[in-house]
Structures are given as C-alpha cells and as structure tokens.
C-alpha cells in the first residue's frame, strides 16, 4: 500500500474487519429494510426524502453520470441532512486522496465504491472509520462471488447492464443476488415502487437502493414516488430482521 493510502496507526486493522462486520450485524437490527435514494442533486429533494424516512441518500461523484454533483452541491446537501440520514458518496475508480478530500469537505458518512477498486483501498477507508459499501455485479467484474475479500461493511449487488457503471434502471434477476450470508447487502438495479415489494419478499436484502425508479428526470426525484417506494418496502418486509448498514 502506498503512503498516500495508508491509514493512521489508530485505524481499524485489516485482520479485524470481519469481526467489525459481525459486531455491527449482531447489535444493529432493523424491522424493515433500509432505503437509500441515490443520485440526489438538490437540497429540497434530499430533505423531502429524509422526511419520508430514508436511511441514506447517495451523492454521485462520477462525472459521466447525469446525476453528478459538484463538491459544493454535495457539501450543501450533506450539511442539510438531519441526524440519522447518512450521506453516501458514490465513487468509480477514484484514489484514496480524492475520496478522503470529498469525505471531509462534504460531510460524508459512508463511501460506495462502484468500480474496480483494489482491496487495499477498502481497508484504508475503513481505517478512517468510514462505512464502506463495495458494489459487485452479476454480469461483470467485480463479481458477487468475490466480495468477501474486500472486507467492506456491506456490499451493493446489481446486474450491471447498460453503458454506465450503475444499474441504468435495468431490471435483472434479483434472485441471483447471493453474497456471503454474513455480509449485509444492498439490492439495486431496476427497482421501482411497483416492483420493490416483490424484490424484498424474494431476496430479503438488508437495504434497497433506488435512483431512476423514483425520478421525474435524471437527478430530480418525485417525492410521491419516493413515498410509494417506502410504503411498498414497509408492506412487504415480512417478520424477519434486517441488518443496519448506514450508521
């Protein structure tokens, strides 16, 4: 690991990552899957999502995305969120220094790595006390089967169809989302208010991630659809418990 990626000595060591995940899973249980609304670009919609009970909002730092936010946009949105709503920075193949700069500037509580990032980067970010969610895919690298090697707090699972690194609003075979049982996971890709209930019933993810499925236009969320999405998740939660991921 390069010096620029090396966490301070007081950070969490790599060989403790699995025990950290296990402790979080045992002590932080929810009665309903958490909801992360990704690709927000404005404060009012972020606050609207928070008022509806979302657990996290995603701020996309990938420049080719139609939902890309500048550092200043992300800082304003992040600083506006109430306690209990996590600002998640979404990155694609960025380096440690770039990610940490945005974490500090924008008040991010979690980092989602959505590209081909190395294991060492995950360890360095965890060492800074961050919640790290590693994205893995059914149809391209990095594959779902290899997620345990990263030592992340959780994984996000999607199909990876379409031209951009994200799910591109594409429905896929959610039943193929089978990460290691001990690792909390977020289900993403093609979820909408109309189908998320089925996905929760069939797959039992710890959290669900939605972007285009609740939009009026790219980056502009329709709060009536966000509410419908939240209601569908709650109605179909069943009698099981779900592991907390975002804080």
């Amino acid at each position: 690991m390069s010096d620029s990626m090396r966490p301070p000595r007081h950070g969490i060591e790599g060989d403790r990552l699995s025990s950290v995940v296990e402790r979080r899973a045992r002590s932080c249980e929810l009665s309903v899957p958490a909801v992360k609304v990704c690709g927000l670009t404005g404060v009012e919609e972020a606050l609207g999502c928070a008022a509806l009970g979302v657990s996290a909002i995603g701020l996309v730092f990938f420049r080719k995305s139609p939902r890309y936010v500048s550092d200043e946009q992300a800082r304003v949105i992040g600083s506006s969120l109430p306690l209990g709503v996590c600002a998640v920075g979404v990155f694609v193949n960025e380096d440690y220094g770039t990610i940490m700069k945005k974490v500090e500037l924008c008040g991010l509580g979690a980092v989602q790595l959505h590209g081909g990032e190395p294991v060492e980067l995950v360890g360095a970010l965890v060492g800074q006390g961050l919640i790290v969610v590693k994205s893995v895919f059914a149809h391209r690298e990095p594959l779902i089967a290899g997620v345990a090697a990263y030592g992340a707090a959780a994984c996000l699972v999607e199909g990876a169809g379409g031209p951009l690194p994200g799910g591109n609003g594409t429905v896929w075979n959610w039943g193929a989302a089978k990460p290691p049982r001990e690792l909390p996971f977020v289900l993403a890709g093609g979820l909408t208010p109309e189908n998320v209930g089925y996905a929760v019933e069939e797959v039992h993810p710890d959290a669900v991630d939605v972007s285009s499925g609740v939009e009026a236009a790219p980056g502009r969320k329709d709060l009536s659809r966000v509410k419908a999405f939240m209601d569908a998740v709650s109605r179909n939660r069943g009698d099981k418990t779900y592991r907390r991921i975002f804080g």
Side-chain angles (χ1 to χ4, degrees):
M1 185 188 303
S2 68
D3 290 341
S4 64
M5 193 185 295
R6 192 176 302 279
R9 293 179 63 86
H10 63 269
I12 301 172
E13 298 296 333
D15 59 1
R16 294 171 56 201
L17 297 184
S18 60
S19 64
V20 170
V21 171
E22 290 169 5
R23 287 200 302 274
R24 282 177 55 85
R26 287 197 301 268
S27 63
C28 301
E29 293 186 341
L30 303 173
S31 61
V32 62
V35 173
K36 170 176 169 275
V37 178
C38 199
L40 285 145
T41 59
V43 171
E44 289 188 9
E45 288 167 14
L47 290 176
C49 288
L52 290 170
V54 306
S55 297
I57 62 104
L59 301 170
V60 178
F61 293 102
F62 181 61
R63 287 186 178 274
K64 294 181 180 180
S65 170
R67 300 167 185 88
Y68 169 78
V69 288
S70 67
D71 288 359
E72 179 60 14
Q73 281 178 289
R75 184 193 67 77
V76 172
I77 294 170
S79 65
S80 75
L81 294 175
L83 189 66
V85 179
C86 183
V88 183
V90 181
F91 299 91
V92 179
N93 297 326
E94 292 285 6
D95 60 55
Y96 174 82
T98 298
I99 293 171
M100 286 306 302
K101 179 180 177 181
K102 294 182 188 298
V103 166
E104 294 163 5
L105 177 65
C106 305
L108 304 179
V111 169
Q112 179 180 320
L113 302 178
H114 213 76
E117 296 85 4
V119 171
E120 292 81 5
L121 177 59
V122 176
L125 294 170
V126 170
Q128 294 297 310
L130 288 167
I131 299 166
V132 179
V133 179
K134 181 68 188 83
S135 297
V136 289
F137 307 96
H139 304 306
R140 70 168 171 85
E141 297 283 349
L143 293 170
I144 297 169
V147 69
Y150 287 94
C155 65
L156 182 144
V157 181
E158 66 180 14
L164 294 173
N168 297 276
T170 305
V171 175
W172 61 290
N173 177 19
W174 300 310
K178 296 180 179 178
R181 187 172 300 176
E182 67 273 13
L183 187 65
F185 81 100
V186 185
L187 182 67
L191 296 174
T192 69
E194 294 75 26
N195 64 27
V196 69
Y198 170 81
V200 168
E201 284 186 337
E202 292 297 308
V203 185
H204 304 297
D206 297 290
V208 287
D209 183 295
V210 64
S211 183
S212 62
V214 294
E215 284 185 332
R220 301 303 308 272
K221 305 309 181 192
D222 179 337
L223 293 180
S224 67
R225 287 189 64 76
V226 175
K227 183 180 186 304
F229 190 92
M230 299 288 294
D231 290 345
V233 172
S234 182
R235 282 196 307 271
N236 293 276
R237 62 189 176 181
D239 58 1
K240 73 185 297 289
T241 57
Y242 302 87
R243 293 167 290 186
R244 186 186 300 273
I245 294 173
F246 303 108

